[in-house]
Amino acid sequence: MTTTRLADRFAEARARGFVGRSAETAVFERILASGLGAVVHVHGPAGIGKTTLLHRFAWLADRAGRPVVTAGGADAEGLCAGPGAVVVVDAEGAEALAERLLEEVPADTVLVLAGREAPPLAWRTDPAWQGLLHPLRLGPLPTEESRELLRRRGVPEEEHGRALEFAHGHPLALALIADVRAQGPGRDPSPGQPAWVVTTLLEALLDAVPSPAHRAALEASAQVLVTSEPLLAALTGVPDARDLFDWLCTLSVTEYGSRGIHPHDLARSVLDAELRWRHPGRRAELRRRAGAYYQQLFTDGDRARQRTVLADFAYLHRDSPLVGPLLAPVTGGAAGAARLDALSIAPTREAELPALLAMAEMHEGADSARLLARWWGHPAASWGTVSADGEGPVGFYLLLALGDTGPAGAADPGDPAVRAARGWLAGAGALRAGERALLVRSWLARDGYQDVSPVQTLITLRLTHHYLTDQRPAVTLLPFADAAFWAAGCAYTDFRRVPEADFSVGGRGYGMFVHDWRVTPPLAWLGLLTEREAAPDPLAVSPPAPPGPLRVLDHDAFAEGVREALRGLGRAGGLRECVLLRSRLVADRAGPEAGPDERAAVLAGVLREAAAELEAAPRDRRAYRALHHTYLQPAGTQQRAADLLRLPMSTYRRHLAAGVERLTERLWGRELDS
């Protein structure tokens, strides 16, 4: 009767359970077949399957008739390896052991090492190692191999989706999830539960954390898409985060990008899950701090950084049941970011127009394509093309700037969308002189039309940048072909449904959503989204109310308000009743909690700032001097002001009228941009 050692049975069971790593095993089998000596260096983060792969290599070597010797840190000393042996070293500091072993083992020995870091730079650059060294970096398992691992561990197919979403292809995470499932009925199979799964993964993924400050930095990095040193300082509340940032950079779970660092997707999920049940209040506070940091970046005028920050801001909302599913290309971690990085947006070139119109015809019909073509070259129209690396155009958008009388600069091509928008603007959304609305006339992806996709997400982020910085419209009108699908996300982002602005083209209906930036301006809007992200019921969080009833003033009423403010500027309490205190110009600066005196102080400051701009402009200096001696530092009477300026009364009054007019126009421009 043949006897089998328990170790043999164990090795066979391990071999039957092995999944994936076909490329790595093929490299190792070629090395075995060559009969030559080699150093195989397997590296990757903890729990990624290095030890499992080394067991596989040992099993393959044994099957090939090669002697197999395993060694740890201590038992490598005095190791005896005969000709053709495969020596497996799975220990910290394996590189140092390997250099000693190379002096002792036969020339046809295959050394197999494992470590978290890549082989030393000296090995990779030294010509002596060329042909001898074979680095094998392990990453996450592909989706199908992850599914196969779950199948072999007995996890039902209907539970694979959540497990894959949590594990990100990490073998240890998949195995632990299967362990929980195998414990029988009554066990919660949800990824990250029970708590010991999270704790086990943390212990496997991370080295010892030196201090609570380092732990706080690690937790903070898991909450944001990309961590920079200034952001880390804002999240952890320290004036200088250099040491903490440098420490994060040393971790094996840290990955690098063009804008900063981020944890490996599994490490991020584990850290976030652990913090969620251990300290939900701290988790919410970290996200609030991140939101506040991103809002602040919108005041520095750096357009490129503002665009990238929008993706960071969107990532904070990844857990929202209302918008999280709509942000999948952003919230997909490193893989999602890579898909977005492969896309770019630029102003449309005429040579691209046929391809864009063909997309419109494919998804919306010939009538839509012909109608969109009429907008090419129109002064109210702005086109943007989404391109993919090596593919050319894969999507586009068309924006129309609508003034208080419709498209500016040329005849309206008879577009049903514009007619519907103008009808709504003539009533509930009335524009003031000089204001404009921004109609997103068309947007789509070549593949998938208006479904959630990387192209759709990039268009959304770019349009949001238009709303907040470039275009600064008074109102944004945003149509969807499937209004019901997007309704929840629009409600979350404070775009309300306005059926009276719906329209149809070629038999297809489009539902319109609107945001009024005069009521909830850009920074207040970002603040609203930050508050909604942390709220149990996001839609219960209302937009911030303006300080007192906000007045939407037309130009004439605003100009009268400026004259009223100038007259009251030099008197105690002279601004408390001024109509401009309820203008957007003052409300935005004063903030929602400001009282009448604070708003009056803001109004006085705004008047003096605008006057200083007149003083700095050579052509306005005479007008400024008349304003200065009449209102800013009044001479007492207009005659005295004229005398100080050594001007006849008629000339003085002409300069003063010019000064009031120029000041009013500067302030009116700010009111429209607020």
Side-chain angles (χ1 to χ4, degrees):
M1 177 173 140
T2 303
T3 60
T4 303
R5 296 181 304 157
L6 186 60
D8 294 334
R9 291 174 57 191
F10 190 69
E12 289 297 326
R14 180 181 282 151
R16 287 194 301 271
F18 184 82
V19 172
R21 306 303 187 196
S22 55
E24 292 82 0
T25 54
V27 169
F28 185 72
E29 288 176 325
R30 286 197 298 270
I31 292 171
L32 291 179
S34 73
L36 302 176
V39 175
V40 179
H41 190 288
V42 179
H43 62 281
I48 200 66
K50 299 185 296 294
T51 298
T52 299
L53 185 59
L54 262 59
H55 285 312
R56 181 69 170 181
F57 286 173
W59 183 80
L60 289 171
D62 183 68
R63 291 283 296 261
R66 302 284 288 267
V68 178
V69 180
T70 59
D75 55 2
E77 298 297 335
L79 181 146
C80 180
V86 174
V87 179
V88 179
V89 182
D90 187 7
E92 290 297 322
E95 294 83 5
L97 292 174
E99 291 186 345
R100 293 202 300 272
L101 290 173
L102 286 175
E103 300 176 358
E104 303 171 4
V105 298
D108 59 354
T109 301
V110 176
L111 286 179
V112 183
L113 317 174
R116 294 189 180 185
E117 306 301 329
L121 181 62
W123 291 14
R124 288 177 278 144
T125 56
D126 187 342
W129 285 89
Q130 300 301 309
L132 180 66
L133 178 64
H134 300 269
L136 298 177
R137 182 184 184 279
L138 296 191
L141 292 174
T143 298
E144 190 47 49
E145 292 181 359
S146 297
R147 289 187 182 278
E148 180 60 25
L149 189 154
L150 293 172
R151 290 189 196 101
R152 295 192 186 187
R153 297 295 184 101
V155 178
E157 293 282 342
E158 62 270 18
E159 296 176 12
H160 287 188
R162 286 188 298 168
L164 294 173
E165 183 180 357
F166 176 81
H168 299 286
H170 199 288
L172 177 60
L174 292 164
L176 285 170
I177 292 168
D179 254 1
V180 175
R181 183 65 179 75
Q183 292 177 43
R187 296 288 184 177
D188 183 356
S190 301
Q193 298 294 334
W196 69 264
V197 174
V198 174
T199 303
T200 301
L201 285 170
L202 277 175
E203 291 174 351
L205 284 167
L206 305 172
D207 296 320
V209 179
S211 73
H214 290 81
R215 180 57 181 257
L218 192 56
E219 291 171 346
S221 71
Q223 296 304 315
V224 295
L225 182 61
V226 176
T227 300
S228 64
E229 190 176 314
L231 174 57
L232 185 62
L235 295 177
T236 56
V238 299
D240 185 350
R242 174 69 178 270
D243 291 343
L244 294 175
F245 187 82
D246 288 347
W247 174 77
L248 288 176
C249 291
T250 68
L251 299 180
S252 61
V253 296
T254 296
E255 298 183 354
Y256 296 80
S258 60
R259 297 191 296 117
I261 59 174
H262 58 87
H264 177 278
D265 286 344
L266 176 65
R268 186 197 299 280
S269 293
V270 170
L271 285 163
D272 185 41
E274 195 263 354
L275 189 61
R276 185 197 299 266
W277 62 259
R278 182 175 60 82
H279 201 329
R282 172 163 175 75
R283 180 175 181 268
E285 177 60 23
L286 285 170
R287 294 193 176 193
R288 277 194 291 268
R289 290 183 181 184
Y293 178 84
Y294 299 143
Q295 290 176 57
Q296 183 61 35
L297 293 182
F298 272 89
T299 66
D300 66 7
D302 186 330
R303 289 163 51 86
R305 186 158 62 163
Q306 288 167 351
R307 286 178 180 173
T308 58
V309 159
L310 284 173
D312 298 331
F313 190 84
Y315 186 72
L316 296 178
H317 301 264
R318 60 192 179 274
D319 297 330
S320 167
L322 299 179
V323 295
L326 308 180
L327 297 170
V330 170
T331 60
R339 288 192 292 271
L340 282 179
D341 287 344
L343 302 173
S344 61
I345 292 183
T348 298
R349 295 178 289 110
E350 188 169 5
E352 297 169 335
L353 187 61
L356 307 189
L357 296 177
M359 296 179 201
E361 182 169 358
M362 175 173 64
H363 293 292
E364 298 180 346
D367 289 346
S368 177
R370 283 193 295 269
L371 191 56
L372 295 179
R374 297 177 192 170
W375 287 108
W376 180 256
H378 194 287
S382 300
W383 296 72
T385 298
V386 183
S387 300
D389 294 344
E391 288 189 57
V394 292
F396 75 93
Y397 62 81
L398 167 60
L399 308 180
L400 298 179
L402 306 182
D404 55 351
T405 58
D412 178 352
D415 192 330
V418 173
R419 285 199 299 270
R422 288 178 63 181
W424 180 79
L425 290 170
L431 298 175
R432 298 175 293 182
E435 287 184 334
R436 62 178 175 176
L438 191 66
L439 170 63
V440 183
R441 174 58 188 85
S442 182
W443 66 274
L444 58 87
R446 181 193 65 191
D447 305 322
Y449 187 42
Q450 292 185 352
D451 293 342
V452 175
S453 69
V455 173
Q456 165 270 324
T457 299
L458 186 60
I459 289 174
T460 298
L461 295 176
R462 180 57 58 87
L463 294 183
T464 303
H465 186 259
H466 280 306
Y467 310 153
L468 301 182
T469 57
D470 293 343
Q471 300 284 348
R472 296 300 296 269
V475 175
T476 293
L477 298 101
L478 179 60
F480 294 91
D482 187 351
F485 175 80
W486 292 96
C490 286
Y492 183 96
T493 56
D494 201 38
F495 276 72
R496 64 186 179 89
R497 184 80 168 87
V498 285
E500 58 269 36
D502 291 356
F503 64 95
S504 297
V505 175
R508 179 193 285 269
Y510 299 84
M512 191 72 77
F513 295 81
V514 167
H515 180 82
D516 192 327
W517 299 102
R518 299 167 298 183
V519 176
T520 307
L523 292 183
W525 181 75
L526 292 172
L528 170 66
L529 297 189
T530 297
E531 292 301 315
R532 284 183 168 176
E533 188 280 323
D537 181 3
L539 298 185
V541 179
S542 300
L550 190 67
R551 286 285 300 274
V552 179
L553 303 170
D554 62 23
H555 183 272
D556 290 344
F558 187 88
E560 178 54 37
V562 172
R563 291 190 289 272
E564 178 188 4
L566 288 171
R567 290 192 296 270
L569 188 60
R571 303 195 312 269
L575 298 178
R576 287 178 60 88
E577 302 301 324
C578 181
V579 68
L580 294 187
L581 294 183
R582 290 178 284 163
S583 68
R584 175 56 66 191
L585 173 70
V586 173
D588 283 353
R589 289 204 178 196
E593 305 301 325
D597 290 337
E598 293 170 291
R599 294 200 296 272
V602 168
L603 176 55
V606 169
L607 289 170
R608 295 185 185 279
E609 284 178 16
E613 293 174 6
L614 295 182
E615 182 184 21
R619 72 186 186 94
D620 292 328
R621 283 176 186 162
R622 290 184 297 180
Y624 164 78
R625 293 190 187 103
L627 277 176
H628 177 82
H629 289 296
T630 307
Y631 298 118
L632 305 178
Q633 289 188 5
T637 66
Q638 289 193 356
Q639 184 60 58
R640 289 178 185 173
D643 292 343
L644 284 171
L645 294 170
R646 299 180 180 178
L647 293 174
M649 181 58 70
S650 60
T651 304
Y652 156 76
R653 287 177 175 166
R654 188 171 67 253
H655 289 179
L656 179 61
V660 172
E661 181 182 359
R662 296 288 294 137
L663 184 72
T664 299
E665 293 309 311
R666 286 180 178 271
L667 293 173
W668 178 245
R670 294 186 185 186
E671 171 75 359
L672 295 183
D673 287 341
S674 297

